Amino acid sequence: MAHSFEIFFTGRDDPRNGCIVIGEDTKPVFFEFETQYLSPSSTRTTISSNRNPVAALHWINGGLGVATIGDREIPMAHLVQQGSSTSARRFPSADGRHYEWRKCHADPRSYELFSGPNTRIAKFQKLSQATPIGPSHGTLQYSFSHDLLLLEALITLNLNRWLDWTG
Protein backbone atom coordinates (compact mmCIF):
# COMPACT_ATOMS: atom_id res chain seq x y z
CA MET A 1 0.00 0.00 0.00
CA ALA A 2 1.40 3.36 -0.95
CA HIS A 3 -0.29 5.45 1.71
CA SER A 4 -1.47 8.90 0.91
CA PHE A 5 -2.64 10.12 4.30
CA GLU A 6 -1.71 9.76 7.97
CA ILE A 7 -3.79 10.69 10.99
CA PHE A 8 -2.87 10.46 14.68
CA PHE A 9 -4.59 8.94 17.72
CA THR A 10 -4.23 11.30 20.67
CA GLY A 11 -6.09 11.91 23.93
CA ARG A 12 -6.74 8.85 26.07
CA ASP A 13 -5.50 5.49 24.86
CA ASP A 14 -9.00 4.05 25.24
CA PRO A 15 -10.76 3.03 22.01
CA ARG A 16 -14.19 3.89 23.48
CA ASN A 17 -13.64 6.98 25.58
CA GLY A 18 -11.48 10.06 25.26
CA CYS A 19 -9.80 8.95 22.04
CA ILE A 20 -9.16 11.81 19.61
CA VAL A 21 -8.17 11.22 15.98
CA ILE A 22 -6.64 14.21 14.24
CA GLY A 23 -4.73 14.98 11.07
CA GLU A 24 -5.31 15.92 7.48
CA ASP A 25 -6.12 14.16 4.23
CA THR A 26 -7.83 16.23 1.52
CA LYS A 27 -9.05 18.41 4.41
CA PRO A 28 -8.55 18.55 8.19
CA VAL A 29 -9.68 15.41 10.05
CA PHE A 30 -10.92 15.55 13.65
CA PHE A 31 -12.87 12.76 15.40
CA GLU A 32 -13.67 12.26 19.08
CA PHE A 33 -14.93 9.11 20.82
CA GLU A 34 -16.78 9.93 24.07
CA THR A 35 -18.61 7.37 26.21
CA GLN A 36 -21.46 8.07 28.63
CA TYR A 37 -22.71 5.54 31.14
CA LEU A 38 -26.48 6.01 31.02
CA SER A 39 -27.46 3.21 33.43
CA PRO A 40 -25.88 0.01 34.75
CA SER A 41 -27.02 -1.80 31.61
CA SER A 42 -26.74 0.95 29.00
CA THR A 43 -23.75 2.85 27.65
CA ARG A 44 -23.41 5.08 24.59
CA THR A 45 -20.27 6.08 22.72
CA THR A 46 -20.78 9.18 20.59
CA ILE A 47 -18.42 9.71 17.67
CA SER A 48 -18.12 13.34 16.63
CA SER A 49 -16.44 14.88 13.62
CA ASN A 50 -15.45 18.52 14.02
CA ARG A 51 -17.57 18.60 17.22
CA ASN A 52 -20.73 17.38 15.40
CA PRO A 53 -22.14 13.90 16.26
CA VAL A 54 -21.88 11.59 13.24
CA ALA A 55 -22.32 8.14 14.81
CA ALA A 56 -23.16 6.37 18.06
CA LEU A 57 -22.47 2.97 19.54
CA HIS A 58 -25.18 1.77 21.91
CA TRP A 59 -23.69 -0.84 24.26
CA ILE A 60 -25.99 -3.26 26.08
CA ASN A 61 -24.97 -4.84 29.39
CA GLY A 62 -21.32 -3.99 28.73
CA GLY A 63 -21.33 -5.79 25.38
CA LEU A 64 -22.05 -5.15 21.74
CA GLY A 65 -25.36 -3.50 20.89
CA VAL A 66 -26.37 -1.35 17.93
CA ALA A 67 -24.34 1.14 15.91
CA THR A 68 -25.91 4.18 14.30
CA ILE A 69 -23.71 5.55 11.51
CA GLY A 70 -25.37 8.49 9.82
CA ASP A 71 -28.92 7.26 9.11
CA ARG A 72 -27.96 3.56 9.09
CA GLU A 73 -28.50 1.27 12.10
CA ILE A 74 -26.55 -1.97 12.23
CA PRO A 75 -25.87 -4.52 14.98
CA MET A 76 -22.31 -3.99 16.24
CA ALA A 77 -21.71 -7.73 15.88
CA HIS A 78 -22.07 -7.23 12.09
CA LEU A 79 -19.18 -4.73 12.22
CA VAL A 80 -16.82 -7.34 13.69
CA GLN A 81 -17.83 -10.52 11.85
CA GLN A 82 -15.35 -13.37 11.53
CA GLY A 83 -12.99 -12.62 8.65
CA SER A 84 -10.74 -14.73 6.44
CA SER A 85 -8.72 -15.97 9.44
CA THR A 86 -8.97 -16.12 13.23
CA SER A 87 -7.05 -12.83 13.45
CA ALA A 88 -9.38 -10.99 11.04
CA ARG A 89 -12.77 -9.32 11.37
CA ARG A 90 -14.83 -7.93 8.50
CA PHE A 91 -17.57 -5.35 8.20
CA PRO A 92 -20.14 -4.33 5.57
CA SER A 93 -19.78 -0.76 4.38
CA ALA A 94 -22.54 1.56 3.29
CA ASP A 95 -20.93 1.37 -0.18
CA GLY A 96 -22.08 -2.27 -0.43
CA ARG A 97 -18.59 -3.77 -0.13
CA HIS A 98 -17.01 -5.75 2.69
CA TYR A 99 -13.76 -4.65 4.30
CA GLU A 100 -11.57 -6.60 6.69
CA TRP A 101 -9.31 -5.60 9.58
CA ARG A 102 -6.46 -8.07 10.12
CA LYS A 103 -4.14 -8.10 13.11
CA CYS A 104 -0.49 -7.74 12.16
CA HIS A 105 1.43 -10.90 13.04
CA ALA A 106 4.60 -8.98 13.96
CA ASP A 107 2.67 -6.65 16.31
CA PRO A 108 -0.80 -7.86 17.42
CA ARG A 109 -1.64 -4.31 18.62
CA SER A 110 -1.44 -3.12 15.00
CA TYR A 111 -4.02 -3.78 12.27
CA GLU A 112 -4.28 -3.61 8.48
CA LEU A 113 -7.47 -2.87 6.54
CA PHE A 114 -8.12 -4.76 3.32
CA SER A 115 -10.70 -4.07 0.61
CA GLY A 116 -10.12 -7.44 -1.06
CA PRO A 117 -8.05 -10.56 -0.45
CA ASN A 118 -4.73 -8.81 -1.18
CA THR A 119 -5.59 -5.09 -1.37
CA ARG A 120 -4.38 -3.30 1.75
CA ILE A 121 -5.84 0.21 2.01
CA ALA A 122 -4.90 1.20 5.58
CA LYS A 123 -2.62 0.35 8.47
CA PHE A 124 -3.02 1.24 12.15
CA GLN A 125 0.16 1.15 14.20
CA LYS A 126 0.12 1.32 17.98
CA LEU A 127 3.12 3.40 18.93
CA SER A 128 3.92 6.35 21.15
CA GLN A 129 5.54 9.28 19.43
CA ALA A 130 5.78 13.04 19.43
CA THR A 131 3.85 14.63 16.57
CA PRO A 132 3.25 18.18 15.36
CA ILE A 133 -0.02 18.15 17.33
CA GLY A 134 1.38 16.65 20.56
CA PRO A 135 1.90 13.13 21.91
CA SER A 136 0.26 10.35 19.93
CA HIS A 137 -0.34 6.70 20.86
CA GLY A 138 -1.11 5.44 17.35
CA THR A 139 -1.30 6.33 13.68
CA LEU A 140 -3.52 5.37 10.79
CA GLN A 141 -2.02 5.49 7.31
CA TYR A 142 -4.56 5.07 4.51
CA SER A 143 -4.79 5.31 0.74
CA PHE A 144 -8.41 6.34 0.15
CA SER A 145 -10.30 9.60 0.23
CA HIS A 146 -13.87 8.80 1.24
CA ASP A 147 -15.36 10.42 4.37
CA LEU A 148 -17.90 7.71 5.19
CA LEU A 149 -15.40 4.87 4.68
CA LEU A 150 -12.94 6.68 6.98
CA LEU A 151 -15.65 6.98 9.65
CA GLU A 152 -16.58 3.29 9.26
CA ALA A 153 -12.91 2.30 9.35
CA LEU A 154 -12.29 4.27 12.57
CA ILE A 155 -15.40 2.87 14.26
CA THR A 156 -14.62 -0.72 13.33
CA LEU A 157 -10.93 -0.31 14.18
CA ASN A 158 -11.83 0.96 17.65
CA LEU A 159 -14.38 -1.87 18.06
CA ASN A 160 -11.65 -4.38 17.19
CA ARG A 161 -9.21 -2.71 19.56
CA TRP A 162 -11.80 -2.68 22.36
CA LEU A 163 -12.71 -6.37 21.82
CA ASP A 164 -9.05 -7.38 21.79
CA TRP A 165 -8.33 -5.14 24.79
CA THR A 166 -11.17 -6.54 26.93
CA GLY A 167 -10.65 -10.15 25.84
Side-chain angles (χ1 to χ4, degrees), residues 29-104:
V29 173
F30 184 82
F31 288 96
E32 294 176 281
F33 287 72
E34 293 293 335
T35 297
Q36 298 141 339
Y37 299 91
L38 307 173
S39 73
S41 63
S42 179
T43 305
R44 180 180 60 232
T45 301
T46 301
I47 300 94
S48 299
S49 176
N50 299 316
R51 308 269 188 222
N52 297 309
V54 292
L57 303 175
H58 304 276
W59 307 85
I60 299 171
N61 296 320
L64 300 177
V66 175
T68 304
I69 304 171
D71 59 359
R72 182 172 77 133
E73 282 196 1
I74 184 168
M76 280 194 253
H78 290 187
L79 299 175
V80 288
Q81 298 174 55
Q82 178 63 52
S84 61
S85 72
T86 57
S87 62
R89 294 185 183 112
R90 68 186 183 106
F91 66 93
S93 174
D95 68 10
R97 300 178 63 191
H98 280 83
Y99 296 87
E100 182 173 274
W101 281 109
R102 298 176 190 166
K103 275 191 200 179
C104 296

Side-chain angles (χ1 to χ4, degrees), residues 69 72 79 91-95 99 101 146-157:
I69 304 171
R72 182 172 77 133
L79 299 175
F91 66 93
S93 174
D95 68 10
Y99 296 87
W101 281 109
H146 188 277
D147 293 345
L148 182 55
L149 180 56
L150 179 59
L151 174 62
E152 292 172 335
L154 290 171
I155 290 169
T156 56
L157 170 63

Side-chain angles (χ1 to χ4, degrees), residues 105-127:
H105 296 293
D107 179 4
R109 299 174 315 151
S110 296
Y111 299 82
E112 296 175 313
L113 180 62
F114 287 80
S115 65
N118 300 309
T119 307
R120 185 176 74 177
I121 61 170
K123 182 173 185 176
F124 170 79
Q125 289 185 284
K126 180 83 175 84
L127 58 107

Side-chain angles (χ1 to χ4, degrees), residues 1-8 22-29 121-124 139-147 150:
M1 172 191 82
H3 77 274
S4 300
F5 309 111
E6 183 174 40
I7 54 179
F8 302 95
I22 191 167
E24 193 166 322
D25 56 24
T26 59
K27 61 184 175 301
V29 173
I121 61 170
K123 182 173 185 176
F124 170 79
T139 63
L140 180 69
Q141 299 171 337
Y142 55 103
S143 61
F144 57 87
S145 178
H146 188 277
D147 293 345
L150 179 59

